[in-house]
Amino acid sequence: MDTRALSLSPLILHSFENPTCIPRSHNNHHFVRLFSSIHINRVSKTPLAIQNPSPTIPTPDNGKLTTPTLKQLCQTHVPDQILLRMEEVGYVMPTEVQRQALPRLFTGRDCILHAQTGSGKTLTYLLLIYSIINTRKSAVQALVLVPTRELGMQVTKVARILAAKPTGVEGEQKSCTIMALLDGGTLRRQKTWFKAEPPAVVVATVGSLCQMLERQLFSLGTLRVLVVDEVDFLFNSSKQASSLRKILTTYSSCNNRQTVFASASIPHHNRFLHDAVQQKWTKRDVIHIHVSPVEPMPSRLYHRFIVCDTKRKLQTLLSLIQSDAPESGIIFVGEQSEKSKKAGNAPSTSLLIDFLKASYHGSLDILLLEDDMNFNSRAASLLEVRKGGGYLLVATDVAARGVDFPEMTHIYNFDLPKNAIDYLHRAGRTCRKPFSDINCNVTSIIVPEERFVLQRYENELMFVCEELIP
Ligand SMILES: Nc1ncnc2c1ncn2[C@@H]1O[C@H](COP(=O)(O)OP(=O)(O)OP(=O)(O)O)[C@@H](O)[C@H]1O
């Protein structure tokens, strides 16, 4: 998968329009900033090189141009109660994706939201949802599709935080109801809820939603906004892709709804845009908002690797943790193969947990999150993580997509991810505080034969990995 060729295409078009701006190096930060806000209408193949696409507004006192606050960006679109709440929980200035996307989303255009991990895509689409739904109407008006239960719980939580009544606001205004319809939940309660009064917003995993739709427990006929988060992951999943297609075309129509696809990675995005229109998943004038196309990972993220032989990997990891002294860290481990399971071997996650419990004497708690755990144990691990206080989370890629761990400072790839996209999402569990200047680290522990694999990821994602000498 050559992600680089595709993510560079906007640059090539822009450089063509402005021959004096052709960059010398893709790692040049000035260049990255200069080109961070280019938009291309790929369907009509019309390059729209917009340097500053969202409004800058004059301040009343001195007439200088300044960046609008989130509230100013949303003011005439999102209800005041949500805006008050948004500021109350600390969302004051927009992140780059919010600044670029919100004015366009409020015009009703379908959109592909393509921006770095931790850049604030969730708040972007939730503000769109709140700008559209009518809380007095008793119907499902917005649907957010997510790949995992963990991400669904997180999105539901943020949506409910925003919908809660702001402090000091009196009155009986009806607040927005948000239902989580996620794998591993019991659908009985949701069935009763649907019958009594349908929620305005549903956050769902594809499997659970389809079960409800197939049993005709509700329909998507009243849908006004459909968001597909981690869209590339969902379309890549053999279990979920065909159901997702059905939701996009059979159960609902793109003419009745505004559709948003979001992810930090949309490989072959030109092709995806083309397909989205052809298959009628979106309307023809869908826009692609691509923030930082030449810097797909946050610039505060430092990438390192250390080479050792397989037998020394555990000891090397321990030495790294001791010298880094992370506030919190995730140790990513590959999933156990079916062959290894059949042979009765213990999974690497268990071996690692046992090793750390025996050899690590620091202050961090050691936790586990993997696919094979039941949903309750997974939720318990996440709850511990969210309490804060410092932990080392041993995890498979179930923790790599979308999950927000704001306090995370270090990622360790005990096993290399399978591809560059997985590297990007694992790395993206750090550097998740917009406007912070704290640097974070991703360290891969590799055997000599894996150096070329990591090199390939560096080329595809355009980052430099520094070697640590043991
Ligand atoms: N305007 C803002 N001001 C302050 N914090 C923000 C703002 N917008 C988002 N955040 C915070 O930034 C963090 C990352 O946001 P979010 O989870 O939406 O990232 P994302 O773009 O969806 O990342 P990923 O691609 O990894 O899913 C969250 O902790 C969120 O609360």
Side-chain angles (χ1 to χ4, degrees):
M1 172 166 35
D2 186 359
T3 46
R4 186 163 59 150
L6 285 149
S7 52
L8 285 180
S9 55
L11 294 178
I12 294 161
L13 281 164
H14 190 271
S15 303
F16 182 75
E17 292 271 293
N18 299 275
T20 51
C21 298
I22 294 173
R24 282 214 199 106
S25 148
H26 295 140
N27 286 327
N28 178 324
H29 277 239
H30 169 68
F31 163 76
V32 168
R33 244 174 269 128
L34 190 67
F35 287 87
S36 66
S37 53
I38 295 163
H39 301 257
I40 311 285
N41 181 341
R42 290 164 200 290
V43 177
S44 64
K45 297 263 189 298
T46 313
L48 302 171
I50 303 168
Q51 291 287 338
N52 188 6
S54 63
T56 47
I57 50 167
T59 51
D61 48 355
N62 57 13
K64 275 188 194 160
L65 295 180
T66 104
T67 307
T69 61
L70 252 180
K71 192 173 169 188
Q72 286 169 323
L73 276 182
C74 300
Q75 203 125 45
T76 52
H77 306 280
V78 178
D80 287 348
Q81 181 158 330
I82 303 280
L83 295 183
L84 274 173
R85 192 62 194 140
M86 184 180 79
E87 292 207 322
E88 193 170 276
V89 292
Y91 300 133
V92 178
M93 293 309 292
T95 62
E96 189 54 23
V97 68
Q98 290 155 6
R99 194 181 71 81
Q100 291 191 29
L102 284 167
R104 286 175 172 70
L105 286 170
F106 293 145
T107 66
R109 300 276 288 272
D110 290 345
C111 175
I112 318 273
L113 266 188
H114 190 175
Q116 288 177 347
T117 51
S119 58
K121 295 183 288 297
T122 315
L123 183 62
T124 313
Y125 63 68
L126 287 177
L127 287 171
L128 169 72
I129 288 175
Y130 287 124
S131 77
I132 290 183
I133 56 173
N134 178 349
T135 49
R136 285 185 301 272
K137 242 187 178 171
S138 182
V140 177
Q141 297 164 65
L143 171 64
V144 182
L145 287 173
V146 290
T148 61
R149 178 180 173 81
E150 283 72 18
L151 182 53
M153 282 160 50
Q154 183 181 295
V155 172
T156 308
K157 188 173 159 201
V158 181
R160 285 184 180 150
I161 287 176
L162 285 174
K165 204 182 260 184
T167 331
V169 171
E170 304 293 326
E172 279 306 299
Q173 210 174 355
K174 196 174 175 213
S175 67
C176 175
T177 44
I178 301 137
M179 178 194 277
L181 199 55
L182 304 170
D183 295 346
T186 51
L187 296 184
R188 206 175 311 134
R189 199 168 61 89
Q190 277 90 343
K191 272 195 246 170
T192 323
W193 185 350
F194 271 118
K195 273 188 196 149
E197 185 176 13
V201 182
V202 174
V203 179
T205 44
V206 172
S208 294
L209 180 78
C210 282
Q211 272 187 39
M212 297 292 256
L213 292 172
E214 276 154 21
R215 291 182 206 164
Q216 300 186 334
L217 291 167
F218 79 107
S219 86
L220 297 181
T222 49
L223 208 59
R224 307 266 324 272
V225 199
L226 169 59
V227 177
V228 184
D229 203 350
E230 306 294 343
V231 60
D232 57 318
F233 183 90
L234 282 171
F235 271 116
N236 252 337
S237 149
S238 52
K239 279 191 204 150
Q240 308 189 71
S242 70
S243 303
L244 174 60
R245 285 196 175 87
K246 248 179 158 178
I247 294 165
L248 286 164
T249 48
T250 315
Y251 290 128
S252 65
S253 152
C254 72
N255 294 325
N256 302 339
R257 59 166 200 251
Q258 190 172 349
T259 309
V260 177
F261 293 116
S263 182
S265 55
I266 306 189
H268 309 288
H269 56 243
N270 285 339
R271 172 91 225 168
F272 179 70
L273 244 100
H274 179 264
D275 285 352
V277 172
Q278 289 297 308
Q279 305 287 331
K280 296 198 168 50
W281 300 332
T282 63
K283 293 185 264 315
R284 292 197 69 77
D285 63 352
V286 52
I287 47 170
H288 179 211
I289 294 192
H290 197 177
V291 182
S292 306
V294 290
E295 197 175 29
M297 288 188 283
S299 55
R300 294 184 285 114
L301 200 47
Y302 287 87
H303 303 264
R304 315 176 302 180
F305 70 95
I306 188 160
V307 183
C308 65
D309 60 35
T310 310
K311 283 190 203 132
R312 298 265 323 146
K313 275 179 100 171
L314 286 169
Q315 200 51 50
T316 305
L317 171 72
L318 184 64
S319 310
L320 273 170
I321 295 171
Q322 279 161 348
S323 65
D324 288 346
E327 273 174 40
S328 279
I330 307 184
I331 303 159
F332 277 107
V333 179
E335 260 156 55
Q336 194 185 15
S337 67
E338 285 306 315
K339 195 172 155 195
S340 162
K341 275 186 198 167
K342 275 186 193 149
N345 297 331
S348 316
T349 42
S350 309
L351 296 176
L352 214 92
I353 289 273
D354 292 346
F355 170 79
L356 287 173
K357 283 191 172 158
S359 326
Y360 170 74
H361 303 298
S363 59
L364 303 176
D365 288 339
I366 296 163
L367 300 167
L368 174 66
L369 185 68
E370 61 177 339
D371 304 52
D372 288 347
M373 285 160 73
N374 66 38
F375 283 116
N376 285 345
S377 313
R378 273 159 62 164
S381 280
L382 276 181
L383 198 70
E384 282 301 310
V385 171
R386 296 206 196 288
K387 274 190 204 155
Y391 54 85
L392 285 171
L393 179 69
V394 175
T396 57
D397 281 302
V398 71
R401 281 270 177 169
V403 194
D404 190 35
F405 301 118
E407 307 307 324
M408 190 67 59
T409 54
H410 288 72
I411 299 290
Y412 299 97
N413 285 322
F414 186 76
D415 293 323
L416 263 188
K418 286 201 259 343
N419 54 50
I421 298 292
D422 289 352
Y423 184 99
L424 176 149
H425 287 277
R426 283 185 182 185
R429 293 321 97 204
T430 52
C431 274
R432 299 189 64 84
K433 283 189 183 169
F435 317 115
S436 156
D437 52 8
I438 296 171
N439 295 328
C440 300
N441 285 300
V442 184
T443 311
S444 300
I445 303 167
I446 59 173
V447 294
E449 308 82 75
E450 286 174 323
R451 178 62 192 114
F452 88 97
V453 182
L454 187 59
Q455 187 78 61
R456 210 175 63 220
Y457 299 170
E458 289 179 57
N459 293 339
E460 282 188 36
L461 299 171
M462 295 173 285
F463 69 97
V464 176
C465 212
E466 188 194 328
E467 179 165 11
L468 296 177
I469 308 296

